[in-house]
């Protein structure tokens, strides 16, 4: 991945859209990658906000509050859904753009190495068989780039999701709608768990407990 992102070659409009966001192919690749990471972080934040919306919606249902219910549907969910869909479409566009530009650059490099010094002619002279090397190069380039992007960006997004939800669990008492040692009949869910990181024996153990009232 490093050679592409460090490339100093001038961008080509035939390599894909968004050629104007950088002076070199490497700059374009880095900025597209940064956009992908930011989009994934935004999706993680929106996922957490959507989980909080579920709680507000079911609280309104449990309280038979029609005004609060329709407010959650039209004033909260509809904007969230619109933003989510827009971000998802933009993510597909950025992902495809980075994929096309990266594959174009790497394929050209591999073809140049394959065709250098008349390799194909020397193989014929030596009687060595070749089986569609162009198709093999294209398939290998596609597989390498897709796997690299999947293992990097997708893994980063999953780790960010895990980290944010873990923080929510650890700091639940600070973000809960009422104190952790109280019960509130206005909420459908039970009393919030009081998180603990160290148990009674001094061992590392992230659990929750509810004080008996």
């Amino acid at each position: 991945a490093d050679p592409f992102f460090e490339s100093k070659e001038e961008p080509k409009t035939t390599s894909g859209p968004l050629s104007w966001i950088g002076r070199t192919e490497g700059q374009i690749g880095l900025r597209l990658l940064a956009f992908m990471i930011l989009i994934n972080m935004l999706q993680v934040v929106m996922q957490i906000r959507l989980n909080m919306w579920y709680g507000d919606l079911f609280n309104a249902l449990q309280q038979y509050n029609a005004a609060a219910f329709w407010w959650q549907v039209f004033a909260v969910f509809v904007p969230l859904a619109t933003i989510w869909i827009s971000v998802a479409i933009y993510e597909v566009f950025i992902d495809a753009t980075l994929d096309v530009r990266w594959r174009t650059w790497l394929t050209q490099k591999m073809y140049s190495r394959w065709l250098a010094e008349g390799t194909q002619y020397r193989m014929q002279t030596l009687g060595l068989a070749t089986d569609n090397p162009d198709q093999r190069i294209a398939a290998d380039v596609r597989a390498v780039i897709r796997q690299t992007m999947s293992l990097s960006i997708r893994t980063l997004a999953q780790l960010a999701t895990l980290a944010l939800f873990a923080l929510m669990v650890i700091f639940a008492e600070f973000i809960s709608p009422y104190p952790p040692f109280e019960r509130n009949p206005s909420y459908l869910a039970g009393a919030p768990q009081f998180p603990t990181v160290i148990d009674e024996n001094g061992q590392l153990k992230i659990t929750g407990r509810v004080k008996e009232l």
Side-chain angles (χ1 to χ4, degrees):
D2 290 344
F4 171 68
F5 295 112
E6 295 175 356
S7 173
K8 303 299 182 182
E9 299 178 10
E10 294 184 0
K12 301 177 181 178
T13 56
T14 57
S15 299
L18 300 180
S19 299
W20 51 270
I21 66 173
R23 296 182 178 179
T24 64
E25 284 292 339
Q27 285 185 354
I28 295 175
L30 285 174
R31 291 172 183 177
L32 290 174
L33 182 61
F35 287 155
M36 286 291 297
I37 295 175
L38 290 176
I39 289 174
N40 277 272
M41 297 300 102
L42 179 59
Q43 288 177 331
V44 171
V45 173
M46 291 184 62
Q47 184 177 356
I48 294 176
R49 180 63 184 89
L50 191 60
N51 286 341
M52 297 173 65
W53 171 81
Y54 279 122
D56 295 335
L57 179 69
F58 283 103
N59 286 331
L61 287 173
Q62 196 267 344
Q63 298 169 17
Y64 300 101
N65 190 334
F69 172 81
W70 292 116
W71 171 266
Q72 292 298 325
V73 171
F74 291 106
V76 180
F77 175 75
V78 171
L80 280 176
T82 302
I83 296 174
W84 184 282
I85 294 173
S86 301
V87 170
I89 294 174
Y90 194 63
E91 180 191 21
V92 172
F93 173 72
I94 295 296
D95 181 82
T97 301
L98 178 59
D99 182 80
V100 169
R101 300 195 73 93
W102 195 351
R103 285 173 56 182
T104 300
W105 182 88
L106 186 56
T107 301
Q108 291 176 349
K109 294 298 181 182
M110 297 299 293
Y111 281 163
S112 297
R113 294 182 61 181
W114 164 248
L115 297 174
E117 300 180 359
T119 302
Q120 70 279 16
Y121 300 112
R122 290 189 288 109
M123 290 184 66
Q124 292 180 359
T125 302
L126 297 174
L128 301 176
T130 57
D131 184 15
N132 299 324
D134 55 334
Q135 296 180 13
R136 292 178 179 271
I137 291 175
D140 290 343
V141 167
R142 179 176 64 251
V144 167
I145 292 177
R146 295 313 303 172
Q147 291 177 9
T148 301
M149 294 180 63
S150 177
L151 291 175
S152 56
I153 298 177
R154 302 296 180 268
T155 302
L156 179 62
Q158 296 302 321
L159 290 176
T161 303
L162 176 63
L164 288 176
F165 275 99
L167 289 175
M168 290 183 63
V169 171
I170 295 174
F171 296 100
E173 62 175 312
F174 301 106
I175 63 176
S176 62
Y178 54 94
F181 289 152
E182 295 181 6
R183 298 186 186 278
N184 192 325
S186 299
Y187 289 87
L188 180 64
Q193 295 285 312
F194 187 78
T196 59
V197 179
I198 305 298
D199 62 11
E200 293 79 1
N201 299 323
Q203 301 295 324
L204 179 62
K205 185 178 181 181
I206 300 178
T207 59
R209 66 177 184 273
V210 179
K211 183 178 179 180
E212 295 295 337
L213 300 178

